[in-house]
């Protein structure tokens, strides 16, 4: 494995955050982890890594457990949220295994200390990993209940000084004014402001995450994760995507 690469002049981004949902890892199973899907996403990350871009990742845990759904079924909310955080660690370890199988040095960094399986979150150490071209997968959200992995992704992106947050979505190629799967007349935006996303309840991220991104001037780029070579294309300014910014 190698930890050095040269910045590709085709992209304006030096360091990025890739946020994907836990559901993105389950393929068509409806639950859990689907190894071929994880491998496909790892190869998407590999193409960007080979461009010399420094990559952070946050993966949700909804393919295994959602704290909010647990609370809706009578579980104590804080307990449910902690269970959801642990689910994100499982997903992060699965992605780490796939990336390292492709020869990419990777670190799983958890907001909840569990030293036997991953590193605790120390900002300066994480920055150093990125400078060495290691992919950093941030797990366990913010380490606090009542906060989503969307908020965790924006927080870590801000702390790592990422140039942008890339939201990989399955089945959609950007932000629409209504669900394109249900409405043939749905309009896709090329660009949209944070305020418009909040006012129209477009569901790009939860409101806390959008407000945090706005406060730190972090652009959010929504693109199709299931499109072959989609991650690399959007970093090169190609393909179809939506930019959320000021």
């Amino acid at each position: 494995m190698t930890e050095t690469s040269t910045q590709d002049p085709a992209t304006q981004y030096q360091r990025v955050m890739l946020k994907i949902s836990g559901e993105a890892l389950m393929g068509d199973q409806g639950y859990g982890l689907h190894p071929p899907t994880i491998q496909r996403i790892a190869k998407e990350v590999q193409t960007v890594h080979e461009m010399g871009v420094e990559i952070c990742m946050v993966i949700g845990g909804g393919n295994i457990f959602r704290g909010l759904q647990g609370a809706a079924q009578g579980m104590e909310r804080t307990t449910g949220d902690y269970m959801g955080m642990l689910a994100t660690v499982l997903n992060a370890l699965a992605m780490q295994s796939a990336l390292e199988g492709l020869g990419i040095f990777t670190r799983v960094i958890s907001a909840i200390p569990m030293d036997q399986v991953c590193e605790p979150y120390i900002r300066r150490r994480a920055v150093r990993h990125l400078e060495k071209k290691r992919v950093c997968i941030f797990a366990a959200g913010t380490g606090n209940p009542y906060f989503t992995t969307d908020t965790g992704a924006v927080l870590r992106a801000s702390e790592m000084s990422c140039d942008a947050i890339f939201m990989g979505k399955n089945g959609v190629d950007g932000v629409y004014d209504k669900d394109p799967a249900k409405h043939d007349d749905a309009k896709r935006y090329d660009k949209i402001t944070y305020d418009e996303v909040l006012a129209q309840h477009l569901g790009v991220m939860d409101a806390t995450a959008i407000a945090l991104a706005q406060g730190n001037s972090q652009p959010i780029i929504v693109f199709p994760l299931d499109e072959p070579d989609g991650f690399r294309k959007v970093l090169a300014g190609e393909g179809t995507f939506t930019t959320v910014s000021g």
Side-chain angles (χ1 to χ4, degrees), residues 179-200:
D179 189 346
K182 299 178 180 178
H183 303 277
D184 293 335
D185 61 342
K187 173 188 174 184
R188 188 184 64 80
Y189 299 100
D190 288 326
K191 294 183 179 180
I192 191 169
T193 68
Y194 305 108
D195 288 335
E196 289 171 331
V197 168
L198 291 170
Q200 298 179 45

Side-chain angles (χ1 to χ4, degrees), residues 225-239:
L225 185 66
D226 50 357
E227 178 182 318
D229 208 23
F231 191 23
R232 184 201 63 79
K233 286 180 180 177
V234 71
L235 262 82
E238 305 168 2

Side-chain angles (χ1 to χ4, degrees), residues 14-35:
Q14 180 178 351
R15 181 179 295 169
V16 301
M17 167 64 72
L18 174 62
K19 168 62 172 68
I20 61 178
S21 67
E23 287 88 348
L25 304 187
M26 65 187 185
D28 56 2
Q29 295 180 144
Y31 178 81
L33 296 163
H34 185 236

